[in-house]
Amino acid sequence: MRVHILDDWFDTLRHLPSFDLLAGHEVTIWTNHVDDPAELAARLVDAEALILFRERTPITAALLDRLPNLRTICQRSVYPHVDVEACTERGILFCSDMHADTPSIAASELTFALILASARQLTQQIASLRAGNWQLAPGQTLRGRTLGLYGYGRIARQVAGYAETFGMKVVWWASEEGRRRAMEDGRQVAASREAFFATCDIVSVHVRMKPDTRGMITLADLSVMKPSASFINTSRAALVEPGALLAALNAGRPGRAAVDVFDKEPLRDPADPLLNHPNLIATPHIGFVTEDELNEQFADIYALINAYAVGQPIHTVNPQVWQAV
């Protein structure tokens, strides 16, 4: 099949071992991102199969209308960026491997790196040293502090293991179902949502982005955090109420934050007020971006392509399309 891969910004994928799984297909890799729908459609006009690099490109009905040869779209994980109904209406099979039992080790490691960086204010200390100064104010030791994990999923549980190794106390908050599962597993769940935010020294959010989780963390939640506390977000920026994190940092509750995600990505505005806040540590959505993680993730995606090619599609989101063929 004619397979197109979008948004491989550093031309990484063709150099990973998993790329061999696409042998026999005609593969085109696009290493630069375009927003213009007409230009994007012109690139993909002959594509029979489209591979998405996470959520970097929205798949809209207007785009699909310009792609007459497209038969399947394949990706891994959640898909708020894909108009599944539009795919179904146009007979395009959408497949996504949700990797139910495999946490993102890369994202978990970055989360804990940001926890450490925030506690010791690493980027601020480095910037001060390079400016000709010496030490800034003392940082925080993690041992004995309380890490609050919002969301009882695979990544959060992985982060909890790291925290416990560092001698931290771990407290949980999640949906009603998530809290139930946490308690069944013998985990400590906060007495209330307000107590969770108010008592934890560090809060890290690990929730999937869905319509009902958008804006779930509010300014009111952040405003009860300690002035000495840190807020960590390596999941999705839209989980936080728009403008709430900047307002909370400006008010000093919490006193620190570290994020890997932004409302608009790629963020290319060096004057962005959140990015420039002195108490924020920021990374450019690199939670999943390691060679090891990408090799594993794309091996799963290439398996979707090959399954479709032999007439046995797997991990179908709109299977009625295939059943109607």
Side-chain angles (χ1 to χ4, degrees):
M1 292 194 301
R2 294 188 299 274
V3 179
H4 285 241
I5 302 176
L6 288 176
D7 298 309
D8 182 14
W9 295 337
F10 298 100
D11 198 19
T12 303
L13 299 180
R14 71 174 78 247
H15 305 293
L16 299 177
S18 60
F19 193 68
D20 291 343
L21 295 172
L22 289 183
H25 299 291
E26 181 185 328
V27 181
T28 301
I29 299 177
W30 297 100
T31 58
N32 64 320
H33 177 82
V34 296
D35 289 313
D36 180 69
E39 184 180 353
L40 182 58
R43 287 184 167 192
L44 303 177
V45 69
D46 71 335
E48 296 174 300
L50 181 60
I51 290 176
L52 304 182
F53 206 122
R54 298 295 291 250
E55 299 160 41
R56 292 177 176 178
T57 294
I59 303 301
T60 64
L63 174 62
L64 296 176
D65 283 338
R66 295 170 178 252
L67 304 178
N69 298 302
L70 189 61
R71 294 153 51 191
T72 186
I73 300 172
C74 297
Q75 66 146 58
R76 195 173 188 261
S77 197
V78 295
Y79 39 89
H81 55 301
V82 177
D83 188 335
V84 178
E85 183 177 352
C87 291
T88 303
E89 290 172 351
R90 290 154 182 79
I92 298 168
L93 186 67
F94 177 56
C95 303
S96 186
D97 185 340
M98 300 302 290
H99 57 104
D101 299 319
T102 55
S104 170
I105 299 301
S108 305
E109 289 178 348
L110 181 71
T111 298
F112 208 77
L114 290 178
I115 290 171
L116 280 165
S118 185
R120 301 301 295 268
Q121 293 291 273
L122 286 186
T123 61
Q124 292 90 336
Q125 296 279 7
I126 292 168
S128 177
L129 183 61
R130 287 178 173 169
N133 303 312
W134 193 229
Q135 298 176 0
L136 297 178
Q140 299 172 337
T141 300
L142 294 183
R143 185 175 184 85
R145 294 186 186 271
T146 299
L147 172 63
L149 292 170
Y150 195 127
Y152 193 66
R154 295 161 298 191
I155 292 177
R157 293 196 295 271
Q158 190 76 22
V159 172
Y162 301 155
E164 289 162 356
T165 298
F166 273 74
M168 299 186 77
K169 175 183 177 181
V170 178
V171 174
W172 299 83
W173 192 255
S175 65
E176 184 176 349
E177 169 62 18
R179 299 197 302 274
R180 181 190 64 77
R181 289 189 290 111
M183 287 187 285
E184 288 177 352
D185 291 342
R187 311 277 190 167
Q188 181 176 345
V189 174
S192 67
R193 182 187 183 95
E194 183 174 358
F196 173 81
F197 282 99
T199 61
C200 291
D201 298 299
I202 299 165
V203 169
S204 185
V205 58
H206 301 280
V207 177
R208 282 182 170 171
M209 183 66 237
K210 300 183 293 184
D212 60 343
T213 60
R214 183 175 293 275
M216 63 184 292
I217 295 175
T218 67
L219 178 58
D221 291 325
L222 298 174
S223 296
V224 299
M225 292 182 69
K226 303 174 185 178
S228 59
S230 293
F231 178 77
I232 314 294
N233 188 359
T234 59
S235 294
R236 293 294 183 273
L239 294 170
V240 181
E241 177 186 353
L245 182 55
L246 179 59
L249 287 173
N250 285 337
R253 287 178 175 267
R256 304 174 180 184
V259 302
D260 186 46
V261 288
F262 296 88
D263 290 325
K264 179 175 174 54
E265 296 183 2
L267 175 61
R268 302 192 188 278
D269 179 8
D272 181 86
L274 178 61
L275 181 64
N276 284 280
H277 198 283
N279 294 330
L280 179 85
I281 293 174
T283 51
H285 206 155
I286 57 172
F288 68 100
V289 187
T290 68
E291 293 178 352
D292 313 80
E293 187 77 20
L294 293 177
N295 189 60
E296 178 180 340
Q297 289 193 13
F298 278 85
D300 289 347
I301 297 173
Y302 302 152
L304 303 179
I305 294 288
N306 289 330
Y308 180 90
V310 298
Q312 299 177 341
I314 56 176
H315 298 293
T316 57
V317 176
N318 56 348
Q320 62 269 38
V321 169
W322 183 257
Q323 294 162 0
V325 174

mmCIF file of all heavy atoms in Angstrom, residues 48-90:
data_model
loop_
_atom_site.group_PDB
_atom_site.id
_atom_site.type_symbol
_atom_site.label_atom_id
_atom_site.label_comp_id
_atom_site.label_asym_id
_atom_site.label_seq_id
_atom_site.Cartn_x
_atom_site.Cartn_y
_atom_site.Cartn_z
ATOM 1 N N GLU A 48 -3.025 5.734 0.541
ATOM 2 C CA GLU A 48 -4.029 4.699 0.830
ATOM 3 C C GLU A 48 -4.110 4.442 2.333
ATOM 4 O O GLU A 48 -5.177 4.086 2.851
ATOM 5 C CB GLU A 48 -3.668 3.408 0.100
ATOM 6 C CG GLU A 48 -3.703 3.513 -1.408
ATOM 7 C CD GLU A 48 -3.210 2.269 -2.079
ATOM 8 O OE1 GLU A 48 -2.046 1.882 -1.853
ATOM 9 O OE2 GLU A 48 -4.005 1.654 -2.835
ATOM 10 N N ALA A 49 -2.989 4.602 3.006
ATOM 11 C CA ALA A 49 -2.937 4.429 4.458
ATOM 12 C C ALA A 49 -2.184 5.607 5.058
ATOM 13 O O ALA A 49 -1.156 6.039 4.518
ATOM 14 C CB ALA A 49 -2.250 3.118 4.823
ATOM 15 N N LEU A 50 -2.697 6.114 6.163
ATOM 16 C CA LEU A 50 -2.101 7.267 6.824
ATOM 17 C C LEU A 50 -1.731 6.887 8.252
ATOM 18 O O LEU A 50 -2.552 6.352 8.993
ATOM 19 C CB LEU A 50 -3.094 8.433 6.831
ATOM 20 C CG LEU A 50 -2.644 9.743 7.473
ATOM 21 C CD1 LEU A 50 -1.415 10.301 6.774
ATOM 22 C CD2 LEU A 50 -3.795 10.755 7.433
ATOM 23 N N ILE A 51 -0.475 7.157 8.620
ATOM 24 C CA ILE A 51 -0.004 6.914 9.977
ATOM 25 C C ILE A 51 0.163 8.252 10.669
ATOM 26 O O ILE A 51 0.847 9.151 10.158
ATOM 27 C CB ILE A 51 1.327 6.141 9.973
ATOM 28 C CG1 ILE A 51 1.089 4.695 9.507
ATOM 29 C CG2 ILE A 51 1.966 6.136 11.359
ATOM 30 C CD1 ILE A 51 2.358 3.873 9.383
ATOM 31 N N LEU A 52 -0.440 8.385 11.852
ATOM 32 C CA LEU A 52 -0.385 9.633 12.608
ATOM 33 C C LEU A 52 0.681 9.550 13.687
ATOM 34 O O LEU A 52 0.839 8.521 14.350
ATOM 35 C CB LEU A 52 -1.736 9.930 13.248
ATOM 36 C CG LEU A 52 -2.933 9.999 12.296
ATOM 37 C CD1 LEU A 52 -4.191 10.360 13.074
ATOM 38 C CD2 LEU A 52 -2.689 10.993 11.175
ATOM 39 N N PHE A 53 1.379 10.635 13.855
ATOM 40 C CA PHE A 53 2.385 10.763 14.916
ATOM 41 C C PHE A 53 1.695 11.463 16.080
ATOM 42 O O PHE A 53 1.691 12.680 16.192
ATOM 43 C CB PHE A 53 3.558 11.590 14.402
ATOM 44 C CG PHE A 53 4.864 11.299 15.094
ATOM 45 C CD1 PHE A 53 5.962 10.874 14.371
ATOM 46 C CD2 PHE A 53 4.989 11.463 16.467
ATOM 47 C CE1 PHE A 53 7.180 10.618 15.002
ATOM 48 C CE2 PHE A 53 6.190 11.210 17.102
ATOM 49 C CZ PHE A 53 7.299 10.774 16.363
ATOM 50 N N ARG A 54 1.078 10.641 16.913
ATOM 51 C CA ARG A 54 0.298 11.119 18.039
ATOM 52 C C ARG A 54 -0.739 12.147 17.580
ATOM 53 O O ARG A 54 -1.436 11.929 16.601
ATOM 54 C CB ARG A 54 1.237 11.690 19.123
ATOM 55 C CG ARG A 54 2.200 10.667 19.692
ATOM 56 C CD ARG A 54 1.506 9.563 20.448
ATOM 57 N NE ARG A 54 0.918 10.017 21.675
ATOM 58 C CZ ARG A 54 1.359 9.698 22.885
ATOM 59 N NH1 ARG A 54 2.410 8.917 23.011
ATOM 60 N NH2 ARG A 54 0.758 10.142 23.963
ATOM 61 N N GLU A 55 -0.822 13.291 18.255
ATOM 62 C CA GLU A 55 -1.886 14.261 17.984
ATOM 63 C C GLU A 55 -1.383 15.492 17.242
ATOM 64 O O GLU A 55 -1.979 16.561 17.315
ATOM 65 C CB GLU A 55 -2.542 14.669 19.314
ATOM 66 C CG GLU A 55 -3.173 13.493 20.050
ATOM 67 C CD GLU A 55 -3.395 13.764 21.527
ATOM 68 O OE1 GLU A 55 -3.810 14.877 21.866
ATOM 69 O OE2 GLU A 55 -3.122 12.855 22.333
ATOM 70 N N ARG A 56 -0.304 15.323 16.501
ATOM 71 C CA ARG A 56 0.327 16.490 15.895
ATOM 72 C C ARG A 56 -0.487 17.097 14.755
ATOM 73 O O ARG A 56 -0.356 18.284 14.471
ATOM 74 C CB ARG A 56 1.736 16.112 15.409
ATOM 75 C CG ARG A 56 2.681 15.819 16.562
ATOM 76 C CD ARG A 56 4.062 15.380 16.109
ATOM 77 N NE ARG A 56 4.954 15.214 17.264
ATOM 78 C CZ ARG A 56 6.210 14.806 17.189
ATOM 79 N NH1 ARG A 56 6.736 14.508 16.009
ATOM 80 N NH2 ARG A 56 6.934 14.685 18.290
ATOM 81 N N THR A 57 -1.324 16.303 14.097
ATOM 82 C CA THR A 57 -2.151 16.826 13.007
ATOM 83 C C THR A 57 -3.612 16.442 13.221
ATOM 84 O O THR A 57 -3.918 15.248 13.323
ATOM 85 C CB THR A 57 -1.679 16.291 11.649
ATOM 86 O OG1 THR A 57 -0.382 16.812 11.362
ATOM 87 C CG2 THR A 57 -2.627 16.709 10.533
ATOM 88 N N PRO A 58 -4.532 17.388 13.272
ATOM 89 C CA PRO A 58 -5.963 17.064 13.365
ATOM 90 C C PRO A 58 -6.453 16.441 12.050
ATOM 91 O O PRO A 58 -6.061 16.886 10.963
ATOM 92 C CB PRO A 58 -6.632 18.415 13.605
ATOM 93 C CG PRO A 58 -5.522 19.337 14.026
ATOM 94 C CD PRO A 58 -4.284 18.837 13.367
ATOM 95 N N ILE A 59 -7.303 15.448 12.177
ATOM 96 C CA ILE A 59 -7.909 14.807 11.015
ATOM 97 C C ILE A 59 -9.379 15.215 10.981
ATOM 98 O O ILE A 59 -10.184 14.760 11.789
ATOM 99 C CB ILE A 59 -7.764 13.278 11.065
ATOM 100 C CG1 ILE A 59 -6.282 12.892 11.171
ATOM 101 C CG2 ILE A 59 -8.401 12.648 9.840
ATOM 102 C CD1 ILE A 59 -5.418 13.376 10.030
ATOM 103 N N THR A 60 -9.703 16.100 10.048
ATOM 104 C CA THR A 60 -11.040 16.689 9.968
ATOM 105 C C THR A 60 -11.796 16.167 8.756
ATOM 106 O O THR A 60 -11.214 15.605 7.822
ATOM 107 C CB THR A 60 -10.927 18.209 9.857
ATOM 108 O OG1 THR A 60 -10.257 18.531 8.614
ATOM 109 C CG2 THR A 60 -10.118 18.792 11.022
ATOM 110 N N ALA A 61 -13.090 16.408 8.763
ATOM 111 C CA ALA A 61 -13.915 16.024 7.609
ATOM 112 C C ALA A 61 -13.455 16.751 6.354
ATOM 113 O O ALA A 61 -13.416 16.168 5.257
ATOM 114 C CB ALA A 61 -15.383 16.336 7.908
ATOM 115 N N ALA A 62 -13.099 18.030 6.499
ATOM 116 C CA ALA A 62 -12.658 18.806 5.338
ATOM 117 C C ALA A 62 -11.400 18.214 4.720
ATOM 118 O O ALA A 62 -11.257 18.181 3.485
ATOM 119 C CB ALA A 62 -12.426 20.253 5.749
ATOM 120 N N LEU A 63 -10.492 17.750 5.553
ATOM 121 C CA LEU A 63 -9.284 17.117 5.019
ATOM 122 C C LEU A 63 -9.621 15.800 4.334
ATOM 123 O O LEU A 63 -9.148 15.518 3.222
ATOM 124 C CB LEU A 63 -8.276 16.876 6.144
ATOM 125 C CG LEU A 63 -7.009 16.096 5.756
ATOM 126 C CD1 LEU A 63 -6.201 16.858 4.713
ATOM 127 C CD2 LEU A 63 -6.162 15.795 6.993
ATOM 128 N N LEU A 64 -10.436 14.984 4.970
ATOM 129 C CA LEU A 64 -10.773 13.683 4.408
ATOM 130 C C LEU A 64 -11.469 13.814 3.057
ATOM 131 O O LEU A 64 -11.292 12.960 2.176
ATOM 132 C CB LEU A 64 -11.659 12.901 5.381
ATOM 133 C CG LEU A 64 -11.000 12.537 6.723
ATOM 134 C CD1 LEU A 64 -12.010 11.858 7.638
ATOM 135 C CD2 LEU A 64 -9.783 11.652 6.519
ATOM 136 N N ASP A 65 -12.236 14.868 2.877
ATOM 137 C CA ASP A 65 -12.920 15.081 1.599
ATOM 138 C C ASP A 65 -11.932 15.266 0.447
ATOM 139 O O ASP A 65 -12.287 15.060 -0.720
ATOM 140 C CB ASP A 65 -13.831 16.310 1.684
ATOM 141 C CG ASP A 65 -15.123 16.023 2.429
ATOM 142 O OD1 ASP A 65 -15.507 14.834 2.512
ATOM 143 O OD2 ASP A 65 -15.745 16.978 2.925
ATOM 144 N N ARG A 66 -10.709 15.630 0.760
ATOM 145 C CA ARG A 66 -9.692 15.875 -0.269
ATOM 146 C C ARG A 66 -8.800 14.654 -0.496
ATOM 147 O O ARG A 66 -7.837 14.740 -1.266
ATOM 148 C CB ARG A 66 -8.818 17.060 0.153
ATOM 149 C CG ARG A 66 -9.547 18.404 0.230
ATOM 150 C CD ARG A 66 -8.627 19.432 0.883
ATOM 151 N NE ARG A 66 -9.250 20.754 0.954
ATOM 152 C CZ ARG A 66 -8.909 21.793 0.206
ATOM 153 N NH1 ARG A 66 -7.970 21.649 -0.729
ATOM 154 N NH2 ARG A 66 -9.492 22.957 0.351
ATOM 155 N N LEU A 67 -9.090 13.548 0.175
ATOM 156 C CA LEU A 67 -8.226 12.369 0.095
ATOM 157 C C LEU A 67 -9.015 11.181 -0.447
ATOM 158 O O LEU A 67 -9.404 10.270 0.294
ATOM 159 C CB LEU A 67 -7.645 12.053 1.479
ATOM 160 C CG LEU A 67 -6.869 13.193 2.160
ATOM 161 C CD1 LEU A 67 -6.388 12.772 3.536
ATOM 162 C CD2 LEU A 67 -5.712 13.653 1.299
ATOM 163 N N PRO A 68 -9.251 11.132 -1.747
ATOM 164 C CA PRO A 68 -10.132 10.117 -2.340
ATOM 165 C C PRO A 68 -9.580 8.697 -2.273
ATOM 166 O O PRO A 68 -10.348 7.731 -2.375
ATOM 167 C CB PRO A 68 -10.266 10.579 -3.793
ATOM 168 C CG PRO A 68 -9.013 11.365 -4.050
ATOM 169 C CD PRO A 68 -8.707 12.056 -2.748
ATOM 170 N N ASN A 69 -8.268 8.538 -2.111
ATOM 171 C CA ASN A 69 -7.665 7.197 -2.126
ATOM 172 C C ASN A 69 -7.472 6.604 -0.739
ATOM 173 O O ASN A 69 -7.077 5.446 -0.612
ATOM 174 C CB ASN A 69 -6.303 7.258 -2.830
ATOM 175 C CG ASN A 69 -6.427 7.688 -4.274
ATOM 176 O OD1 ASN A 69 -7.123 7.053 -5.065
ATOM 177 N ND2 ASN A 69 -5.756 8.779 -4.635
ATOM 178 N N LEU A 70 -7.742 7.396 0.300
ATOM 179 C CA LEU A 70 -7.455 6.950 1.656
ATOM 180 C C LEU A 70 -8.405 5.844 2.091
ATOM 181 O O LEU A 70 -9.626 5.978 1.985
ATOM 182 C CB LEU A 70 -7.553 8.134 2.622
ATOM 183 C CG LEU A 70 -7.061 7.882 4.052
ATOM 184 C CD1 LEU A 70 -5.591 7.497 4.065
ATOM 185 C CD2 LEU A 70 -7.295 9.123 4.915
ATOM 186 N N ARG A 71 -7.848 4.764 2.605
ATOM 187 C CA ARG A 71 -8.638 3.605 3.031
ATOM 188 C C ARG A 71 -8.563 3.357 4.537
ATOM 189 O O ARG A 71 -9.489 2.826 5.132
ATOM 190 C CB ARG A 71 -8.164 2.354 2.284
ATOM 191 C CG ARG A 71 -8.440 2.427 0.786
ATOM 192 C CD ARG A 71 -7.467 1.593 -0.041
ATOM 193 N NE ARG A 71 -7.346 0.221 0.433
ATOM 194 C CZ ARG A 71 -6.411 -0.642 0.022
ATOM 195 N NH1 ARG A 71 -5.504 -0.242 -0.849
ATOM 196 N NH2 ARG A 71 -6.375 -1.867 0.495
ATOM 197 N N THR A 72 -7.422 3.718 5.152
ATOM 198 C CA THR A 72 -7.293 3.478 6.588
ATOM 199 C C THR A 72 -6.363 4.504 7.219
ATOM 200 O O THR A 72 -5.437 5.009 6.566
ATOM 201 C CB THR A 72 -6.771 2.050 6.879
ATOM 202 O OG1 THR A 72 -6.783 1.813 8.288
ATOM 203 C CG2 THR A 72 -5.362 1.850 6.346
ATOM 204 N N ILE A 73 -6.642 4.815 8.475
ATOM 205 C CA ILE A 73 -5.787 5.681 9.290
ATOM 206 C C ILE A 73 -5.399 4.878 10.522
ATOM 207 O O ILE A 73 -6.254 4.296 11.193
ATOM 208 C CB ILE A 73 -6.516 6.964 9.710
ATOM 209 C CG1 ILE A 73 -6.961 7.755 8.475
ATOM 210 C CG2 ILE A 73 -5.633 7.827 10.606
ATOM 211 C CD1 ILE A 73 -7.852 8.943 8.805
ATOM 212 N N CYS A 74 -4.096 4.865 10.828
ATOM 213 C CA CYS A 74 -3.616 4.059 11.951
ATOM 214 C C CYS A 74 -2.781 4.921 12.893
ATOM 215 O O CYS A 74 -2.017 5.781 12.458
ATOM 216 C CB CYS A 74 -2.775 2.888 11.445
ATOM 217 S SG CYS A 74 -3.698 1.725 10.404
ATOM 218 N N GLN A 75 -2.917 4.650 14.166
ATOM 219 C CA GLN A 75 -2.169 5.388 15.181
ATOM 220 C C GLN A 75 -2.147 4.589 16.469
ATOM 221 O O GLN A 75 -2.632 3.468 16.532
ATOM 222 C CB GLN A 75 -2.800 6.745 15.423
ATOM 223 C CG GLN A 75 -4.198 6.686 16.038
ATOM 224 C CD GLN A 75 -4.464 7.834 16.973
ATOM 225 O OE1 GLN A 75 -4.387 8.979 16.585
ATOM 226 N NE2 GLN A 75 -4.771 7.524 18.228
ATOM 227 N N ARG A 76 -1.615 5.202 17.536
ATOM 228 C CA ARG A 76 -1.578 4.571 18.847
ATOM 229 C C ARG A 76 -2.118 5.555 19.877
ATOM 230 O O ARG A 76 -1.863 6.742 19.803
ATOM 231 C CB ARG A 76 -0.142 4.180 19.191
ATOM 232 C CG ARG A 76 0.023 3.196 20.361
ATOM 233 C CD ARG A 76 1.481 2.805 20.425
ATOM 234 N NE ARG A 76 1.773 1.741 21.372
ATOM 235 C CZ ARG A 76 2.257 1.939 22.597
ATOM 236 N NH1 ARG A 76 2.445 3.170 23.032
ATOM 237 N NH2 ARG A 76 2.555 0.912 23.385
ATOM 238 N N SER A 77 -2.897 5.048 20.811
ATOM 239 C CA SER A 77 -3.404 5.786 21.964
ATOM 240 C C SER A 77 -4.674 6.583 21.630
ATOM 241 O O SER A 77 -5.370 6.296 20.650
ATOM 242 C CB SER A 77 -2.316 6.678 22.561
ATOM 243 O OG SER A 77 -2.678 7.073 23.874
ATOM 244 N N VAL A 78 -4.962 7.580 22.447
ATOM 245 C CA VAL A 78 -6.232 8.307 22.379
ATOM 246 C C VAL A 78 -6.306 9.152 21.114
ATOM 247 O O VAL A 78 -5.288 9.452 20.487
ATOM 248 C CB VAL A 78 -6.442 9.181 23.625
ATOM 249 C CG1 VAL A 78 -6.590 8.305 24.850
ATOM 250 C CG2 VAL A 78 -5.281 10.152 23.805
ATOM 251 N N TYR A 79 -7.516 9.555 20.745
ATOM 252 C CA TYR A 79 -7.687 10.185 19.424
ATOM 253 C C TYR A 79 -8.671 11.354 19.443
ATOM 254 O O TYR A 79 -9.588 11.423 18.624
ATOM 255 C CB TYR A 79 -8.142 9.148 18.402
ATOM 256 C CG TYR A 79 -9.153 8.140 18.917
ATOM 257 C CD1 TYR A 79 -10.519 8.387 18.850
ATOM 258 C CD2 TYR A 79 -8.734 6.950 19.482
ATOM 259 C CE1 TYR A 79 -11.444 7.472 19.314
ATOM 260 C CE2 TYR A 79 -9.655 6.013 19.966
ATOM 261 C CZ TYR A 79 -11.003 6.288 19.872
ATOM 262 O OH TYR A 79 -11.913 5.373 20.349
ATOM 263 N N PRO A 80 -8.468 12.329 20.345
ATOM 264 C CA PRO A 80 -9.346 13.504 20.318
ATOM 265 C C PRO A 80 -9.154 14.358 19.074
ATOM 266 O O PRO A 80 -9.983 15.221 18.779
ATOM 267 C CB PRO A 80 -8.941 14.275 21.585
ATOM 268 C CG PRO A 80 -7.537 13.857 21.850
ATOM 269 C CD PRO A 80 -7.466 12.415 21.421
ATOM 270 N N HIS A 81 -8.074 14.127 18.342
ATOM 271 C CA HIS A 81 -7.741 14.903 17.149
ATOM 272 C C HIS A 81 -8.325 14.319 15.876
ATOM 273 O O HIS A 81 -8.140 14.883 14.793
ATOM 274 C CB HIS A 81 -6.222 14.970 17.005
ATOM 275 C CG HIS A 81 -5.567 13.619 16.994
ATOM 276 N ND1 HIS A 81 -5.688 12.729 18.041
ATOM 277 C CD2 HIS A 81 -4.817 12.987 16.068
ATOM 278 C CE1 HIS A 81 -5.032 11.627 17.767
ATOM 279 N NE2 HIS A 81 -4.493 11.750 16.574
ATOM 280 N N VAL A 82 -9.015 13.189 15.978
ATOM 281 C CA VAL A 82 -9.544 12.499 14.798
ATOM 282 C C VAL A 82 -11.073 12.556 14.798
ATOM 283 O O VAL A 82 -11.715 12.183 15.787
ATOM 284 C CB VAL A 82 -9.078 11.027 14.757
ATOM 285 C CG1 VAL A 82 -9.699 10.295 13.564
ATOM 286 C CG2 VAL A 82 -7.556 10.951 14.687
ATOM 287 N N ASP A 83 -11.651 12.994 13.703
ATOM 288 C CA ASP A 83 -13.097 12.983 13.528
ATOM 289 C C ASP A 83 -13.502 11.590 13.070
ATOM 290 O O ASP A 83 -13.538 11.295 11.873
ATOM 291 C CB ASP A 83 -13.510 14.048 12.504
ATOM 292 C CG ASP A 83 -15.033 14.219 12.430
ATOM 293 O OD1 ASP A 83 -15.758 13.269 12.761
ATOM 294 O OD2 ASP A 83 -15.475 15.306 12.005
ATOM 295 N N VAL A 84 -13.787 10.734 14.039
ATOM 296 C CA VAL A 84 -14.080 9.335 13.726
ATOM 297 C C VAL A 84 -15.375 9.219 12.924
ATOM 298 O O VAL A 84 -15.483 8.410 11.999
ATOM 299 C CB VAL A 84 -14.162 8.503 15.024
ATOM 300 C CG1 VAL A 84 -14.522 7.052 14.697
ATOM 301 C CG2 VAL A 84 -12.840 8.565 15.781
ATOM 302 N N GLU A 85 -16.356 10.030 13.262
ATOM 303 C CA GLU A 85 -17.621 9.994 12.524
ATOM 304 C C GLU A 85 -17.393 10.327 11.054
ATOM 305 O O GLU A 85 -17.963 9.673 10.166
ATOM 306 C CB GLU A 85 -18.608 10.984 13.138
ATOM 307 C CG GLU A 85 -19.981 10.959 12.477
ATOM 308 C CD GLU A 85 -20.964 11.902 13.146
ATOM 309 O OE1 GLU A 85 -20.619 12.462 14.203
ATOM 310 O OE2 GLU A 85 -22.069 12.080 12.597
ATOM 311 N N ALA A 86 -16.554 11.308 10.785
ATOM 312 C CA ALA A 86 -16.253 11.657 9.398
ATOM 313 C C ALA A 86 -15.541 10.512 8.686
ATOM 314 O O ALA A 86 -15.795 10.253 7.502
ATOM 315 C CB ALA A 86 -15.403 12.926 9.350
ATOM 316 N N CYS A 87 -14.645 9.824 9.384
ATOM 317 C CA CYS A 87 -13.991 8.646 8.806
ATOM 318 C C CYS A 87 -15.025 7.599 8.424
ATOM 319 O O CYS A 87 -14.998 7.040 7.322
ATOM 320 C CB CYS A 87 -12.991 8.057 9.795
ATOM 321 S SG CYS A 87 -11.532 9.052 10.109
ATOM 322 N N THR A 88 -15.936 7.345 9.331
ATOM 323 C CA THR A 88 -16.954 6.319 9.095
ATOM 324 C C THR A 88 -17.839 6.686 7.911
ATOM 325 O O THR A 88 -18.126 5.843 7.045
ATOM 326 C CB THR A 88 -17.810 6.134 10.356
ATOM 327 O OG1 THR A 88 -16.952 5.804 11.460
ATOM 328 C CG2 THR A 88 -18.839 5.044 10.159
ATOM 329 N N GLU A 89 -18.266 7.922 7.850
ATOM 330 C CA GLU A 89 -19.136 8.367 6.760
ATOM 331 C C GLU A 89 -18.467 8.225 5.394
ATOM 332 O O GLU A 89 -19.142 8.040 4.384
ATOM 333 C CB GLU A 89 -19.545 9.814 6.988
ATOM 334 C CG GLU A 89 -20.498 10.008 8.166
ATOM 335 C CD GLU A 89 -20.732 11.466 8.488
ATOM 336 O OE1 GLU A 89 -20.019 12.329 7.904
ATOM 337 O OE2 GLU A 89 -21.601 11.758 9.326
ATOM 338 N N ARG A 90 -17.130 8.282 5.378
ATOM 339 C CA ARG A 90 -16.397 8.215 4.113
ATOM 340 C C ARG A 90 -15.793 6.851 3.863
ATOM 341 O O ARG A 90 -14.993 6.671 2.939
ATOM 342 C CB ARG A 90 -15.319 9.314 4.094
ATOM 343 C CG ARG A 90 -15.925 10.712 3.976
ATOM 344 C CD ARG A 90 -15.029 11.773 4.572
ATOM 345 N NE ARG A 90 -15.659 13.100 4.475
ATOM 346 C CZ ARG A 90 -16.602 13.528 5.308
ATOM 347 N NH1 ARG A 90 -17.039 12.755 6.289
ATOM 348 N NH2 ARG A 90 -17.138 14.729 5.148
#
